[in-house]
Structures are given as C-alpha cells and as structure tokens.
Amino acid sequence: PVSKKAKMRDGGTDELDVCQQLLGELETHQDAWPFLKPVNPKSVPGYKKVVKKPMDLSTIREKIANKQYSCLESFTDDVNLVFDNCERFNEDDSEIGKAGHIMRRFFNKRRAELLK
Ligand SMILES: Cc1ncccc1N[C@@H](C)c1ccc2c(c1)OCCO2
C-alpha cells in the first residue's frame, strides 16, 4: 500500500527536509519583510484584537527547531496562517497586502515542485 508519507521527488527527502527547504526560501524572498518577525501589537493599532492567532516566519523557524511540526501538513497550516492573517488585516492593494499574495503564490508553487 502507498506509504503514509507524502510522495517525494527522487532521492526521497523526508517531510521535515521539505519544510526546512521551503522555510529557507520564504525567509530569503525579497517580499518576506513584513513576515520575518512577530507583529509588534504596540506599533500596529488594532492588530491584537483583529488577529486571533498571530504567526510569522521566525516563530515557524523556532517551531521547526523544537520539533513542533509532526508533518508537512502542520507546517503548511502555520505558513497559511501567516498569509491568512495578512489578508484579514491588510488591503489587497496595500504594500503588505501585495507582499502577502506574492509570498502565498510563491509558497504554493515551490511546495508543489518539491513534492513532485
Ligand atoms: C504582516 C503585517 N500585517 C499587518 C501589519 C504589520 C505587519 N508586519 C509588521 C512586521 C510591520 C510591517 C510594516 C510596518 C510595521 C510593521 O510597523 C510600522 C511600519 O511598517
């Protein structure tokens, strides 16, 4: 039977390798700047009330280091949370809103490529 593990490209790296690879590419993307560190609620009025579950790339990096992701799916949920929070708080045509859409598209494309 097909193993539970996601299909991997040749040379089969495990799911956590894929998470590390994807996170590295997100962190170094030129449009990652709004998402690198937790949003400081003091410098962004309303953020604390509107965004119930804050998430950012440095927190995801920490969670990988602490082995808090059991699979690619739980990692993907946190990455999507970053961009869902962004859409909730920022206009689509704002600088941060535009960066969020670019980064989400980039993530989905690279994830699909790495899973081939
Ligand atoms: C992802 C996000 N969503 C909504 C608001 C902010 C942010 N990002 C923070 C880092 C951020 C990004 C840009 C900023 C800023 C804070 O503080 C004021 C100057 O410009």
Side-chain angles (χ1 to χ4, degrees):
V2 177
S3 80
K4 258 198 325 13
K5 275 168 72 77
K7 288 191 184 25
M8 286 293 153
R9 54 182 173 67
D10 301 342
T13 56
D14 74 12
E15 290 190 15
L16 284 185
D17 290 352
V18 173
C19 294
Q20 301 253 16
Q21 175 68 26
L22 283 168
L23 183 58
E25 293 187 24
L26 291 173
E27 288 168 329
T28 53
H29 192 290
Q30 65 170 9
D31 296 314
W33 54 272
F35 315 109
L36 293 174
K37 294 287 179 198
V39 177
N40 177 350
K42 291 191 197 71
S43 64
V44 183
Y47 197 81
K48 193 163 167 31
K49 180 80 178 150
V50 170
V51 175
K52 301 304 178 191
K53 287 173 66 184
M55 187 49 65
D56 71 284
L57 298 179
S58 71
T59 302
I60 293 174
R61 174 60 71 188
E62 227 172 279
K63 287 180 74 169
I64 285 187
N66 303 338
K67 302 203 182 314
Q68 287 177 261
Y69 295 119
S70 56
C71 60
L72 179 58
E73 213 47 49
S74 53
F75 167 79
T76 300
D77 290 346
D78 268 358
V79 173
N80 286 330
L81 181 55
V82 173
F83 303 135
D84 292 344
N85 290 342
C86 182
E87 281 204 54
R88 180 123 171 63
F89 196 85
N90 302 282
E91 298 295 331
D92 287 336
D93 60 355
S94 65
E95 286 309 304
I96 297 176
K98 285 184 295 187
H101 289 299
I102 291 167
M103 293 296 289
R104 185 200 294 275
R105 278 194 296 267
F106 174 75
F107 174 71
N108 289 333
K109 175 171 167 287
R110 289 296 294 138
R111 184 172 182 271
E113 287 166 355
L114 286 173
L115 288 184
K116 248 192 235 135

